[in-house]
Each structure stands twice: as C-alpha cells, then as structure tokens.
Amino acid sequence: METLRDVVIVIHLLGFAILFGAWVVEAAARRYQPTRLMTLGMVIALVAGLALSAPWAVEDLDYMKIGIKLVILIVIGALLGIGTARARKGTPLPAWTFWLIGILTLANVAIAVIW
C-alpha cells in the first residue's frame, strides 16, 4: 500500500512539473498565455492530490497542508480559466496574472516537498 501511495505522490509532483514546465516555456517565449498543457498539469496534480488526501492508513493526514494546497490549486485553476477565456476573446492576459500562476505553482510544490 505504501508503494502505491509513493507512486501517487510521484504522479502528483509530475502534474506540477507539467504545469510549471509549460509555464516556463510560455514565460521564456514571452507569450504570457495559459496553454492546454498547463491545464492538463493542473488537473493531474488535482486528481493525484485528492487521491493522496484519502485515508491510506500509512500515516496521519495533515489537513492544514491539504487545505492550503487545495486553495492554492483552486486559485491556479481560476487564473488558468480566466486566461483561457480571455485568450478566446482575443484579450491578452495581464502579465501579473501570468506570473502569479507560476509563483503559486512553485509555492504549491514547495509546500508539498518541504512541509
């Protein structure tokens, strides 16, 4: 059971890696637009995170950490949704919003690894 939990942790971190990697590519190209790959990475991280918050009976769950990470991920999802909707209308995403997506993603990974 512990091995399965470790695999889910790896998938969770890979979801954030996909999200952050796609964000870095867009930032390097100075496009400042969310992509489908960012959304895919966010969904992978969300699903794996929800699976991790299930009682695995391996260790006690830290509900404060789970709550904070979930709120951050919801904000990231909202920003990605707003950016996608604005891209469909042809309205550019404000640069601060794009940078906030990257900062929050990095913060979420830091919370996952360090806390």
Side-chain angles (χ1 to χ4, degrees):
M1 191 63 117
E2 187 172 337
T3 304
L4 178 62
R5 183 177 177 277
D6 291 340
V7 169
V8 175
I9 289 173
V10 169
I11 292 170
H12 183 61
L13 292 176
L14 283 175
F16 281 115
I18 292 168
L19 171 58
F20 192 71
W23 179 86
V24 168
V25 167
E26 292 298 307
R30 297 183 186 258
R31 284 189 285 249
Y32 306 127
Q33 291 295 323
T35 63
R36 285 187 175 182
L37 197 55
M38 289 180 193
T39 304
L40 177 66
M42 189 228 18
V43 169
I44 291 170
L46 175 64
V47 171
L50 291 175
L52 284 172
S53 63
W56 287 83
V58 175
E59 60 185 55
D60 292 330
L61 295 176
D62 187 352
Y63 293 107
M64 178 72 82
K65 176 181 175 180
I66 292 169
I68 291 171
K69 285 178 56 63
L70 182 61
V71 167
I72 291 173
L73 197 60
I74 289 170
V75 171
I76 292 170
L79 292 173
L80 287 174
I82 290 167
T84 303
R86 291 187 84 158
R88 286 186 190 145
K89 291 180 182 178
T91 309
L93 186 67
W96 69 268
T97 306
F98 180 80
W99 288 103
L100 186 59
I101 292 170
I103 291 167
L104 289 174
T105 301
L106 191 58
N108 221 349
V109 172
I111 290 170
V113 173
I114 295 171
W115 188 340

